[in-house]
């Protein structure tokens, strides 16, 4: 499930950042290609803004993306876009939620997540914090946090379908808004495992990320 219905305001590009190109292709096409080429991926459900649906469909055609099974209308928050994807998916099994804005996801990480989620129900990827971490809610340091215990969490996040559907339904019923799917599952009490990912699985959020993305792309192509 790939939420792609954001506005990308922090990119300041005036258009959905996912249409910006890295190399020759829009960001979201790189992301989709990772799943298109992966034999473990049975199908893709994409959440988009209604007014961008046509443009997205024409890119899918142009770049021969054939695994998209459904394109649903996204919501005002990422969580609602994912909920719309969950409504469109009616089969049992492991589902992955991955930001369209993370084009550098590696197959080894996807496969490790699928394996963990199949065995334990819920698994997310992240990397260890490299910098010293401080807690400073008012701008004044309250505490230096033990970074060995901290993970910077990314997507994909993988779940057995019924676990994520139940958590998503519950969050919506409670008016709870999380920043990732794991938060929704955590509040149901189901343990969420962490799979160590890679630092280059960056989310294209601001202009600096695009510059980093261009460098990463060259490295992948070499
Ligand atoms: O804005 P941000 O980069 O954190 O969004 C992460 C992903 O969620 C992006 O792929 C974006 O298109 C998607 N999203 C969405 N619906 C929203 C907000 C974000 O599908 N309302």
């Amino acid at each position: 499930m790939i939420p792609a219905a954001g506005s990308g305001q922090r990119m300041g590009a005036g258009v959905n950042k996912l249409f910006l190109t890295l190399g020759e292709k829009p960001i979201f096409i790189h992301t989709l290609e990772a799943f298109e080429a992966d034999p473990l991926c049975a199908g893709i459900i994409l959440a988009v803004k209604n007014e961008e649906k046509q443009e997205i469909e024409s890119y899918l055609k142009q770049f021969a993306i054939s695994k998209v099974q459904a394109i649903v209308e996204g919501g005002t928050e990422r969580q609602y876009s994912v909920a719309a994807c969950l409504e469109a998916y009616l089969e049992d099994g492991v589902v992955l939620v991955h930001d369209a804005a993370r084009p550098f996801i590696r197959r080894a990480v996807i496969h490790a997540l699928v394996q963990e989620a199949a065995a334990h129900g819920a698994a997310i990827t992240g990397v260890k914090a490299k910098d010293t971490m401080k807690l400073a809610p008012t701008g004044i340091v309250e505490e230096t946090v033990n970074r060995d215990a901290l993970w910077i969490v990314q997507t994909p996040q993988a779940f057995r379908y019924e676990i994520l559907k139940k958590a998503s339904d519950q969050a919506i019923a409670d008016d709870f808004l999380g920043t990732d799917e794991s938060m929704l599952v955590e509040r149901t009490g189901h343990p969420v495992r962490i799979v160590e990912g890679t630092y280059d699985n960056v989310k294209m959020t601001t202009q600096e990320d695009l510059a980093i993305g261009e460098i990463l792309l060259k490295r992948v192509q070499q």
Side-chain angles (χ1 to χ4, degrees):
M1 297 182 178
I2 303 203
S7 52
Q9 275 178 352
R10 284 170 290 177
M11 188 62 79
V15 292
N16 185 344
K17 64 183 176 184
L18 299 174
F19 294 138
L20 301 179
T21 53
L22 274 179
E24 306 279 284
K25 297 172 192 167
I27 291 172
F28 80 100
I29 292 292
H30 289 283
T31 310
L32 287 172
E33 281 180 345
F35 293 93
E36 178 77 19
D38 188 341
L40 215 55
C41 173
I44 299 167
I45 298 175
L46 206 53
V48 307
K49 282 188 181 163
N50 251 352
E51 62 270 29
E52 291 173 350
K53 190 171 180 216
Q54 264 192 345
E55 191 172 356
I56 286 183
E57 280 173 336
S58 75
Y59 278 126
L60 296 180
K61 227 177 178 175
Q62 183 185 344
F63 291 101
I65 304 292
S66 64
K67 282 192 184 169
V68 175
Q69 291 178 345
I71 301 183
V72 299
E73 185 177 0
T76 49
E77 301 286 345
R78 185 184 169 287
Q79 181 178 314
Y80 303 138
S81 298
V82 174
C85 291
L86 286 165
E87 287 298 321
Y89 182 85
L90 302 169
E91 290 163 53
D92 223 2
V94 170
V95 293
L96 259 82
V97 179
H98 184 60
D99 293 327
R102 289 188 193 269
F104 297 106
I105 182 59
R106 292 172 190 236
R107 190 175 294 180
V109 175
I110 296 174
H111 287 200
L113 285 165
V114 170
Q115 204 171 15
E116 281 292 285
H120 305 288
I124 63 178
T125 189
V127 287
K128 292 239 170 105
K130 288 193 220 176
D131 298 319
T132 297
M133 306 299 282
K134 309 264 184 203
L135 192 68
T138 62
I140 299 192
V141 175
E142 273 180 13
E143 192 190 332
T144 300
V145 186
N146 174 15
R147 72 175 169 205
D148 292 340
L150 291 183
W151 289 85
I152 299 164
V153 165
Q154 310 163 339
T155 68
Q157 301 198 344
F159 307 92
R160 286 209 296 269
Y161 173 75
E162 73 280 4
I163 291 173
L164 180 57
K165 180 74 170 91
K166 183 177 146 212
S168 169
D169 288 349
Q170 188 68 56
I172 287 170
D174 297 346
D175 230 351
F176 175 85
L177 199 58
T179 49
D180 68 352
E181 284 57 61
S182 179
M183 273 178 85
L184 313 187
V185 171
E186 289 156 37
R187 55 195 292 282
T188 68
H190 192 97
V192 178
R193 295 186 170 228
I194 296 198
V195 165
E196 190 153 13
T198 62
Y199 290 95
D200 57 11
N201 181 26
V202 278
K203 182 152 68 74
M204 297 295 116
T205 306
T206 59
Q207 292 288 336
E208 295 105 297
D209 299 320
L210 274 187
I212 293 167
E214 289 292 351
I215 294 166
L216 289 173
L217 191 67
K218 285 201 187 98
R219 204 188 57 182
V220 172
Q221 285 165 343
Q222 269 164 12

